[in-house]
Amino acid sequence: MGQGEESKADPEAPVEIQERGEIFFFYRPKVGKEEAHGVEEVQRLYIVLRPESGERPVEEKQHHASGKEGAKKKKATKKKDGETSESSDSAASEGGHGSEKVNIEHQPLLRFIVMGRKSLPPPTQRGRPFWGYVEMVTTKIEDVKAALQGEEYDTSTRGRRHKPPARALGEGVYRILRHNPGRRMHTHLIYKLEFPREGESGDPQETFNIEREASFLIQIKNPEQPGSSQFRGLQSKRKATFPAHLQGQFGQRRFHPADPPDFLNYEGCEFLLIAASDDIEGELGVELRAEEGEPEPACSDLVKTFGETASIAPLLKGTWLEEMVVELPLFVNVHIY
């Protein structure tokens, strides 16, 4: 479906678009659960951001040898060479560090994000921060597919356990923008859904506070400052290590706007989302548009990219997982679980 379009309903609106792209939502039921019907039965809520353009076509990201991204490469190399080692598992538990450039207009860049409260901030609770962190940053779609898959594993106390695959929950377009209304500059993450289509049930989306469109203040946490009683955050070794020019922007402050969005290109980057509005145009003077006309399931980038990995009933019908048959032009009699 692409990154959509935006326009200023108010030409004088004090906003600047920093980054454009696609946003995908997923949830994973708890271990041993075949399906979830509420947050209490959910293990994780994931957000995947795929930037596609912005103020700068070239962004800075962690070095590909760091974090989970680097661990996957090392593990694949050792497996190919017939070696075994625990070093890749150790690297996977460390935050992103180092630096390299990626052209987001020509190369995939995917941020795999975990929301700590397993939901987005409700629009009725403005001012209440919700903590999240970047679990993985990668330029390989296969890495995200692997993270969404289920698995069987053995434990010493409970025997064999089943971790169910993730379920696709929503797809849309997003912007990260700079807002300077005369007070201190801050940044927003805004999005608008394409799927589920408007008019579908939307029960799972309502459970996770995923509105048709929403605006959040987004603040990046300083990894060199301690957590609080409300947000203890990640263990020190899992926190991001930003390059000096990014880290220097914090000074002694605990939080900084997501300016530039490159902060989010480091595994272990922690942030806060704070509900601002569910009316983007009314709040910021920006109209965010997805593709023209009624979106068709066969055009869904999430279905085309992750459809064989993540169950898509909640995405297409706005219902909790159930077996159904959907007629798609590109997929004949696809059974969706």
Side-chain angles (χ1 to χ4, degrees), residues 83-99:
E83 301 178 25
T84 58
S85 173
E86 296 181 0
S87 61
S88 61
D89 294 331
S90 175
S93 65
E94 297 177 353
H97 54 82
S99 176

Side-chain angles (χ1 to χ4, degrees), residues 1-2 22-25 168-173 191-196 210 212 297 299-304 315-316:
M1 299 292 288
E22 294 182 283
I23 186 169
F24 308 118
F25 297 94
L169 185 61
E171 173 182 350
V173 297
Y191 75 84
K192 186 168 187 175
L193 286 185
E194 296 173 287
F195 294 100
I210 299 175
R212 295 300 308 174
C299 298
S300 164
D301 285 339
L302 189 153
V303 171
K304 289 186 285 187
L315 172 77
L316 297 182

